[in-house]
Amino acid sequence: GAVVSQHPSRVICKSGTSVKIECRSLDFQATTMFWYRQFPKQSLMLMATSNEGSKATYEQGVEKDKFLINHASLTLSTLTVTSAHPEDSSFYICSASWRGTHRETQYFGPGTRLLVL
Amino acid sequence: QQQVKQSPQSLIVQKGGISIINCAYENTAFDYFPWYQQFPGKGPALLIAIRPDVSEKKEGRFTISFNKSAKQFSLHIMDSQPGDSATYFCAASGRMGQFYFGTGTSLTVIP
C-alpha cells in the first residue's frame, strides 16, 4: 500500500521556538494532504487540508498564523508550529490522498510527538 | 462540534468473541465511512470502509453494517484475537475528502 512518512518522529523544544514537521508520500503523488492533531486517548481532530500549490484550508478554531502549512510539491507538505507553547504539545499526524479511483482513501503517516517545555 | 459520535469508549472482549463498535453521524452529505485501527504511538491504519449504497461489507473477520436511514454504522470483529487489542476509530468523509473521526474505542481482547 501507499506509504507516508513523517519527520521527525519526536521533537522536544523550548517555549517560544518554532518547529517544522515534514510529511512525505513516498510512492505516490499526493494531490491532497491533511493535518490532524491528537491528544492522549482522544480522537484525531482535523486541523487543515492542503492541496499542492494552493493555500491550506483550515478548520474552524485552528489559527492559520500559528500553524503554517506549506504543500510545495506533490510529495511533501510541512506543518510549522510557530512560537510553540506547552499547550501545543500533542501528537501531530498527517495523511495523504490522490485524485484517483479511490479518492477518499487517506494514508496516514506514523505521527510526530511534539513536547514543548 | 463532534460530527461523528462513537460508542463505547472502551470494550473488553474474550478471545473468540465478537467486538461491536457503533457510530452515528448527522451530516447527510457524508458519503464514505472508513474504520481505522491505531496502536499506541502509531498513525491510524485503514481497516475497512463502506459507501452508503450498500448495507453491509465484509472483509475477513471485519464487517461493517450501515443503516442509511438511521445514519448509523457499526464495526463487527468476529473471532476477536488479543492482537486486535487497539483503538478503533470510525470516520466519515464528505465531498471535499476531509475525514471527521469518532472519539475512538479502546478494545482489549482477553486471552
Side-chain angles (χ1 to χ4, degrees):
Chain A
V3 179
V4 176
S5 70
Q6 281 184 242
H7 178 80
S9 59
R10 180 185 296 264
V11 57
I12 302 173
C13 69
K14 293 182 178 179
S15 183
T17 61
S18 293
V19 175
K20 180 184 285 189
I21 302 170
E22 292 185 350
C23 176
R24 294 182 184 271
S25 56
L26 298 185
D27 51 3
F28 66 99
Q29 294 186 322
T31 48
T32 306
M33 286 186 169
F34 304 86
W35 286 95
Y36 296 84
R37 183 174 181 176
Q38 186 179 33
F39 290 105
K41 298 186 185 296
Q42 293 191 26
S43 185
L44 289 82
M45 299 301 295
L46 179 64
M47 298 175 66
T49 303
S50 75
N51 293 295
E52 186 263 340
S54 62
K55 289 185 177 180
T57 301
Y58 290 81
E59 293 295 304
Q60 190 175 5
V62 178
E63 300 175 59
K64 61 181 179 181
D65 295 330
K66 172 78 171 175
F67 300 98
L68 300 179
I69 292 172
N70 184 283
H71 192 166
S73 76
L74 285 172
T75 59
L76 174 64
S77 176
T78 60
L79 168 68
T80 302
V81 183
T82 62
S83 186
H85 291 284
E87 57 266 29
D88 298 324
S89 299
S90 189
F91 193 49
Y92 291 88
I93 308 174
C94 73
S95 70
S97 66
W98 70 91
R99 196 174 297 118
T101 304
H102 302 290
R103 67 170 175 86
E104 301 92 349
T105 302
Q106 287 187 29
Y107 295 94
F108 284 82
T112 296
R113 176 80 57 195
L114 170 63
L115 177 61
V116 185
L117 302 177
Chain B
Q1 182 183 0
Q2 191 69 39
Q3 300 226 29
V4 180
K5 296 181 180 179
Q6 183 173 346
S7 63
Q9 185 175 359
S10 62
L11 181 62
I12 300 175
V13 174
Q14 292 277 357
K15 178 183 175 180
I18 302 174
S19 304
I20 302 175
I21 306 171
N22 301 299
C23 284
Y25 64 98
E26 287 297 325
N27 190 340
T28 55
F30 290 148
D31 60 1
Y32 179 71
F33 303 89
W35 283 90
Y36 282 83
Q37 179 189 58
Q38 185 180 31
F39 292 102
K42 305 293 184 183
L46 178 66
L47 264 181
I48 185 172
I50 197 169
R51 297 174 186 272
D53 54 344
V54 297
S55 60
E56 185 175 283
K57 183 175 182 180
K58 183 176 181 179
E59 290 184 0
R61 296 186 295 110
F62 302 96
T63 300
I64 299 180
S65 297
F66 188 85
N67 186 329
K68 187 174 180 179
S69 60
K71 291 185 285 186
Q72 295 175 347
F73 58 109
S74 60
L75 174 69
H76 294 230
I77 305 175
M78 313 298 287
D79 187 26
S80 298
Q81 299 296 312
D84 296 331
S85 297
T87 300
Y88 292 81
F89 292 97
C90 62
S93 174
R95 200 165 301 172
M96 298 301 293
Q98 296 98 327
F99 278 18
Y100 296 95
F101 283 83
T103 47
T105 296
S106 176
L107 171 66
T108 302
V109 181
I110 300 172

